């Protein structure tokens, strides 16, 4: 190489692009999708029926069934906080200590399935045994939060099933909104029961 010859440019090594990994949906994902879809549709119908019930109030009563629903909604809201913590720690927004990522995701999936099944059972129980509201605003918030939660869960599982790459970015946000809905449901049911403000 002479002094007149320009130096030879060495091309930069190509940057390695990592593929986003998503969990392959299984039959349980499909089952939860169907359940949440049914409850999402039913919840929308319940909003209409509840508005009619608010317009034409009937006799309101409290009994042991209200206590069962209050305890159930308390368990669901505790599981919701667990869900929030496990996902936020996996995303790196909260500390997870020495717990492995795989363990956190397993806790998130199992806890989520338990929470959804329990919430669905309580929702069914609530829908077939609705008393007339003593506080229409509380009931309106309660049914709206329940409807939004189940509709969003159906959307989340549909994305996981058919558009996993889209779910990668949107599922955490859907989960956060569902968590807020479950807290609102508990405040308007479990908390209202325990504070005698039903």
């Amino acid at each position: 190489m002479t002094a007149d010859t320009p130096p030879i440019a060495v091309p930069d090594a190509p940057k390695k692009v990592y593929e986003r990994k998503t969990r392959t949906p299984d039959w349980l994902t499909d089952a939860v999708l169907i359940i949440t879809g049914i409850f999402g549709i039913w919840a929308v119908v319940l909003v209409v029926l509840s508005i009619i019930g608010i317009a034409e109030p009937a006799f309101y009563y409290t009994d042991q069934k209200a206590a069962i629903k209050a305890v159930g909604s308390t368990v669901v809201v505790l599981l919701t906080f667990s869900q929030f913590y496990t996902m936020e720690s996996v995303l790196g927004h909260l500390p997870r200590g020495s717990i492995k990522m795989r363990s956190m995701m397993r806790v998130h999936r199992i806890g989520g399935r338990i929470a959804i099944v329990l919430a669905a059972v309580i929702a069914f129980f609530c829908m077939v045994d609705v008393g007339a509201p003593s506080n229409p605003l509380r009931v309106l918030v309660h049914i709206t939060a329940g409807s939004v939660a189940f509709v969003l869960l159906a959307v989340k599982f549909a994305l996981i099933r058919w558009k996993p790459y889209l779910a990668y970015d949107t599922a955490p946000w859907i989960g956060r909104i569902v968590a807020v809905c479950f807290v609102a449901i508990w405040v308007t049911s479990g908390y209202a029961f325990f504070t005698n403000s039903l």
Side-chain angles (χ1 to χ4, degrees):
M1 188 190 293
T2 64
D4 305 355
T5 310
I8 300 172
V10 178
D12 291 336
K15 291 184 180 179
K16 190 167 185 175
V17 178
Y18 293 96
E19 181 182 345
R20 285 184 174 169
K21 296 200 177 206
T22 57
R23 186 177 66 85
T24 305
D26 56 11
W27 67 269
L28 197 51
T29 304
D30 293 339
V32 171
L33 169 62
I34 291 167
I35 291 168
T36 53
I38 290 168
F39 274 95
I41 293 166
W42 193 350
V44 171
V45 172
L46 182 65
V47 169
V48 175
L49 294 175
S50 295
I51 290 170
I52 294 168
I54 289 168
E56 295 290 331
F59 180 72
Y60 182 76
Y61 63 93
T62 306
D63 56 17
Q64 292 293 56
K65 292 179 274 188
I68 294 169
K69 289 186 270 189
V71 170
S73 68
T74 302
V75 173
V76 170
V77 85
L78 292 174
L79 287 169
T80 299
F81 287 124
S82 168
Q83 291 299 102
F84 180 79
Y85 172 74
T86 53
M87 184 47 65
E88 292 300 321
S89 65
V90 164
L91 294 173
H93 301 150
L94 291 174
R96 63 183 166 91
S98 61
I99 303 172
K100 293 181 180 176
M101 185 87 69
R102 173 185 255 169
S103 299
M104 291 299 262
M105 287 306 298
R106 185 174 294 126
V107 168
H108 186 79
R109 280 194 299 273
I110 294 170
R113 289 169 178 170
I114 293 169
I116 289 170
V117 169
L118 183 56
V121 168
I122 295 167
F124 177 80
F125 190 32
C126 203
M127 286 185 240
V128 298
D129 184 47
V130 176
S134 61
N135 182 336
L137 179 60
R138 179 186 61 78
V139 173
L140 186 62
V141 170
H142 184 77
I143 61 173
T144 302
S147 300
V148 169
F150 278 106
V151 168
L152 286 179
L153 284 169
V155 169
K156 177 181 175 180
F157 290 116
L159 288 174
I160 290 171
R161 181 67 182 96
W162 290 294
K163 300 283 185 186
Y165 288 102
L166 185 58
Y168 185 88
D169 293 322
T170 57
W173 285 104
I174 292 173
R176 290 176 185 122
I177 296 169
V178 169
V180 169
C181 288
F182 278 141
V183 170
I185 291 166
W186 178 77
V187 167
T188 56
S189 61
Y191 177 79
F193 175 81
F194 294 126
T195 57
N196 293 319
S197 55
L198 279 177

